[in-house]
Amino acid sequence: MSDAFDTLTDVLLPAPGPGRTPGRIGMSILMILWAGLAVSCFVSAVPGWRLATGAVGTPGTLTVLSCEDLGEGRYDCKGRFTPDGGGAAIAVDASPDSRAGDVTRARLAPEGDRAVPTGTAGVLAALTMPFLGVGVPAFLPYALLHVLGVRRGRRGAVVAGSVLTCVSLAGVLVGLVAASL
């Protein structure tokens, strides 16, 4: 197993030659950007998570009125949000994975421009980006070990990266399926 693993890494990772790597400063910048991308997945998910879990926003019912096909698999959905406490219905943006005619429990964002589904499906859909954030940096430790020339621990980093990638993929798929329900 060890010889096969070493052969595989030699084939996939060619030995760097002169001018083929970005150098210490460039590589440091790339690693920081890689970690920043992972963090941004979590940061961008916080508002949707807070809405889906009921931490903020006004509870009510969202009725999707229309979904316009923008091409390339993208949709722009509009809906009507009716607050539980009564009052006038509000025109809002609905989730792009909605269908015209869908009626669901939702929370109105404090800005009043969009409504996010709540309940189990809403929470699972809100977890899609954080699960992506788990997968993005999965192989960062391996990349750091490789860049620093450390051979000890690479196998463990690959195993851990593979496990995190599988967990991330499962979480993203569950979130996407929940969003389409």
Side-chain angles (χ1 to χ4, degrees):
M1 171 79 178
S2 177
D3 294 335
F5 180 77
D6 291 337
T7 303
L8 181 63
T9 58
D10 290 342
V11 171
L12 295 177
L13 301 169
R20 293 188 66 189
T21 62
R24 286 189 181 275
I25 294 173
M27 194 59 73
S28 298
I29 291 170
L30 288 173
M31 295 297 152
I32 290 169
L33 289 173
W34 191 351
L37 179 62
V39 169
S40 71
C41 289
F42 290 99
V43 171
S44 68
V46 169
W49 169 257
R50 292 187 52 159
L51 277 170
T53 58
V56 296
T58 306
T61 304
L62 171 66
T63 304
V64 180
L65 302 174
S66 67
C67 287
E68 179 184 345
D69 186 359
L70 300 175
E72 298 180 15
R74 298 177 316 156
Y75 294 90
D76 181 30
C77 296
K78 302 292 181 189
R80 180 179 62 238
F81 179 81
T82 308
D84 283 348
I90 302 166
V92 294
D93 291 330
S95 175
D97 26 358
S98 303
R99 289 181 203 92
D102 286 352
V103 177
T104 184
R105 296 288 305 148
R107 285 225 173 229
L108 180 66
E111 299 83 25
D113 60 343
R114 66 187 177 102
V116 174
T118 58
T120 305
V123 170
L124 289 174
L127 285 174
T128 303
M129 282 301 285
F131 270 109
L132 182 62
V134 167
V136 168
F139 285 94
L140 182 60
Y142 175 80
L144 287 171
L145 290 173
H146 179 72
V147 166
L148 296 174
V150 177
R151 297 200 55 83
R152 187 177 190 111
R154 283 190 191 181
R155 183 170 297 139
V158 168
V159 170
S162 298
V163 168
L164 284 175
T165 300
C166 289
V167 167
S168 173
L169 179 62
V172 168
L173 288 175
V174 166
L176 290 174
V177 167
S180 66
L181 295 178

